[in-house]
Amino acid sequence: MTSQLATDVLICGAGTAGLTLAIDLARRGVSFRLIEKGATPFAGSRGKGIQPRTQEVFEDLGILDKVVARGGYYPRQRLHREDGSYVESDLSGPDEASPAEPYQQPLMLPQFLTEQIMRERLNELGYQVQFGCELLGFEQDASGVTATLSGPRGPQIVRARYLVGADGGRSFVRKTLGVGFPGKTLDVRAIVADVTLTGLDRDAWHQFNDGDMQRMVAICPLAGTYLFQIQAPIQPDEQADLSAQGLTTLVSRRTGRSDIIVHAVSWASDYQMSARLAERYRVDRVCLVGDAAHVHPPTGGQGLNTSVQDAYNLGWKLAAVLRGAPDSLLDSYEAERRPVAESVLGLSTRLLKDQKPGGMRRGRETRQLDIGYMESPLAIELPQRKTGIRAGQRAPDGPLRGAAGQPSRLFQLFKGGHWTLLVHAEQQDRPGPRAGLHVHAIGPKGDVIDAWGHIQDAYGLASGECALIRPDGYVGAIGNTDSVAELEVYLDRMGVGQLEATTT
């Protein structure tokens, strides 16, 4: 067995949650190892929808433009009738982007392409996934975690200050911790398969026998590929034939059409839908993210997105604690994210139950823009704040002009993993300079000019007020800068400025 190797964070699982955390830690200069027991990357599209809030996260991580370029938006739903006619409808409402919310429509990109883009970004930052490396066991003590790994070079011992389980619904990390995973197995079994086929156009999401759980089948062109995805519920005791011939037979039987031919299967799965939530997200120096902490039906396109945002919430907190912030900061991860997962479980289960003929219609509740942490111990409102945005809410975007005359956006000011303080240009009482905090003065005499009034519309800051934006794009504190001492204490508690942070 090789000698003990050291790192700050050991991430077990290189799906979207593990990759998000790795990218975030890499740009902060935190050492980590990202291991994946599979010998090769995941090849399927279990998740393919990227919601507006996740698009904002991807913009911050530097991959959104590539995701959009590789993928696209969801096509219209085409509901085929038995007489050969059809009707079409949009998957989402017609809401348009606004200055505060620049993204409104879900993107489509198969999970294997999303993860490929994320691995490329990780490579740019100087890291790579260690495939074929499995976590065999671990023990933790007051100062870290000792993990036993098995990989191409044989077994080895790794010493990490923290371990993160991003290893899916059957999480080895969660089971080793002994964390309960209560919930229920739903009475819905289904198949999903990425295939090449002929007989259908690629300009629509084709749905047959919608609302009939015995005969229903949906066939969607996967943006960025030549593939289609077949989705169909099946009986609990039905033998699933996931070969090309078996899928052709299923499609023919359910559509009444013999011209739709499956030629090859790229990836397929036969699964039972479940709704489960881990009893705990953290046990001392071990945390759970993504499917290791929650699983739910695919309805509403919430799974991949919730997993990404788990990791995005945890990343900056791990980095802060490793810089010297109190270990108790990590308690806020569970306090903030577990209620979100509980809500998502309820939403996706309700959407599954309420599916009606006429196609699925996804409203604002699936876009995740209204997720907030108003009850979080990290949300503080300074005195004299009466109206406007609250601490714990998502920080809105807004176009602005810099003092040098160039146009920009608030999201560009927030980008990069630091804290951001927005203050009135004429207000002199503000926290002193510290590493990891960017201060911007808003006003005609400031470095940020609210040329179109959108910042005021979004934040409603009165003279003398400020807004402190967390690294993950939520308002940490807001209110009157007469409480600058309280703000300084808050920043100290978050570990801001204790050591210089590396951002990209």
Side-chain angles (χ1 to χ4, degrees):
M1 184 172 293
T2 59
S3 59
Q4 191 173 97
L5 304 175
T7 190
D8 282 330
V9 182
L10 176 64
I11 307 170
C12 180
T16 50
L19 286 165
T20 299
L21 182 60
I23 292 170
D24 203 19
L25 295 180
R27 66 179 184 160
R28 297 175 189 281
V30 174
S31 69
F32 65 89
R33 289 183 65 180
L34 174 59
I35 63 171
E36 168 57 52
K37 71 177 182 179
T40 57
F42 175 65
S45 56
R46 186 178 294 115
K48 62 181 181 294
I50 300 173
Q51 299 295 345
R53 176 56 189 159
T54 302
Q55 293 171 44
E56 295 178 354
V57 174
F58 282 0
E59 180 181 359
D60 181 42
L61 297 181
I63 62 173
L64 179 61
D65 288 335
K66 292 184 178 180
V67 167
V68 174
R70 291 292 297 273
Y73 294 99
Y74 276 80
R76 285 170 63 81
Q77 299 177 109
R78 182 173 296 172
L79 307 178
H80 293 264
R81 294 168 170 162
E82 293 188 9
D83 63 2
S85 65
Y86 62 80
V87 295
E88 290 190 348
S89 63
D90 291 323
L91 179 70
S92 299
D95 293 353
E96 296 182 357
S98 68
E101 298 178 349
Y103 312 111
Q104 284 291 330
Q105 297 299 318
L107 294 171
M108 181 201 287
L109 188 66
Q111 185 173 339
F112 69 90
L113 289 181
T114 300
E115 292 180 0
Q116 179 183 330
I117 291 170
M118 298 178 85
R119 288 193 300 273
E120 291 169 354
R121 176 61 175 145
L122 190 61
N123 296 159
E124 291 175 352
L125 295 168
Y127 287 86
Q128 62 183 3
V129 179
Q130 295 177 264
F131 287 104
C133 187
E134 184 175 2
L135 177 65
L136 300 180
F138 62 89
E139 295 180 351
Q140 60 176 317
D141 53 43
S143 60
V145 179
T146 301
T148 303
L149 309 181
S150 175
R153 299 181 181 179
Q156 62 180 225
I157 301 295
V158 172
R159 180 69 176 172
R161 294 175 67 182
Y162 291 93
L163 167 66
V164 177
D167 51 342
R170 299 177 181 176
S171 171
F172 172 78
V173 174
R174 186 190 66 241
K175 292 175 182 178
T176 303
L177 286 173
V179 171
F181 203 39
K184 59 183 178 180
T185 300
L186 305 175
D187 294 329
V188 180
R189 185 165 160 246
I191 63 167
V192 57
D194 298 346
V195 305
T196 56
L197 63 75
T198 53
L200 289 174
D201 296 332
R202 295 188 62 85
D203 61 350
W205 185 346
H206 304 274
Q207 301 186 20
F208 299 85
N209 305 309
D210 191 52
D212 183 346
M213 297 298 283
Q214 306 294 322
R215 302 168 56 228
M216 185 170 140
V217 63
I219 307 176
C220 181
L222 291 173
T225 76
Y226 56 85
L227 300 170
F228 284 81
Q229 184 178 82
I230 299 174
Q231 297 172 307
I234 59 176
Q235 292 300 306
D237 57 351
E238 184 175 344
Q239 184 67 33
D241 183 350
L242 300 179
S243 67
Q245 180 58 53
L247 291 170
T248 297
T249 300
L250 180 146
V251 170
S252 176
R253 187 170 64 245
R254 296 199 179 191
T255 65
R257 291 175 53 170
S258 60
D259 61 322
I260 305 174
I261 308 296
V262 176
H263 299 280
V265 180
S266 174
W267 169 81
S269 177
D270 162 17
Y271 67 101
Q272 188 84 33
M273 295 187 191
S274 298
R276 298 186 180 277
L277 178 62
E279 291 178 336
R280 300 178 64 182
Y281 274 30
R282 179 193 177 203
V283 178
D284 300 324
R285 290 181 171 267
V286 184
C287 296
L288 303 173
V289 298
D291 288 354
H294 46 77
V295 294
H296 44 81
T299 38
Q302 301 294 286
L304 179 152
N305 299 272
T306 304
S307 297
V308 165
Q309 291 170 52
D310 283 347
Y312 192 58
N313 181 286
L314 179 60
W316 70 268
K317 296 173 182 178
L318 274 173
V321 170
L322 289 165
R323 287 197 304 264
D327 181 76
S328 59
L329 177 60
L330 292 177
D331 292 336
S332 69
Y333 166 62
E334 178 177 321
E336 292 182 346
R337 292 304 300 171
R338 193 173 184 278
V340 170
E342 191 170 20
S343 175
V344 167
L345 258 66
L347 171 63
S348 56
T349 303
R350 186 176 71 251
L351 289 174
L352 177 67
K353 186 184 302 182
D354 292 346
Q355 286 191 76
K356 298 179 178 64
M360 177 180 289
R361 183 84 164 172
R362 296 180 182 176
R364 183 177 174 86
E365 72 275 11
T366 65
R367 299 173 192 169
Q368 302 197 343
L369 292 169
D370 297 322
I371 289 173
Y373 310 127
M374 280 75 78
E375 304 304 319
S376 168
L378 305 189
I380 65 168
E381 295 196 12
L382 303 174
Q384 302 180 34
R385 178 74 174 170
K386 301 297 183 183
T387 60
I389 194 169
R390 292 182 56 197
Q393 288 184 303
R394 166 193 165 275
D397 194 11
L400 57 90
R401 191 171 68 240
Q406 294 301 312
S408 186
R409 296 161 50 217
L410 283 177
F411 278 8
Q412 290 301 307
L413 302 185
F414 301 162
K415 186 175 182 178
H418 51 267
W419 290 77
T420 306
L421 182 65
L422 304 176
V423 299
H424 195 279
E426 297 179 357
Q427 188 71 23
Q428 299 301 314
D429 193 14
R430 64 187 69 167
R434 54 171 76 202
L437 175 67
H438 293 191
V439 181
H440 294 284
I442 303 172
K445 298 181 180 180
D447 61 293
V448 171
I449 300 172
D450 188 13
W452 300 276
H454 293 302
I455 299 176
Q456 181 60 30
D457 290 343
Y459 289 83
L461 295 178
S463 179
E465 290 187 334
C466 67
L468 180 64
I469 313 304
R470 297 173 10 167
D472 58 352
Y474 287 86
V475 179
I478 193 164
N480 199 289
T481 49
D482 288 345
S483 301
V484 69
E486 185 177 353
L487 203 55
E488 295 274 16
V489 170
Y490 179 86
L491 290 167
D492 289 340
R493 185 160 62 94
M494 299 298 107
V496 182
Q498 294 187 9
L499 287 176
E500 184 167 352
T502 301
T503 59
T504 299

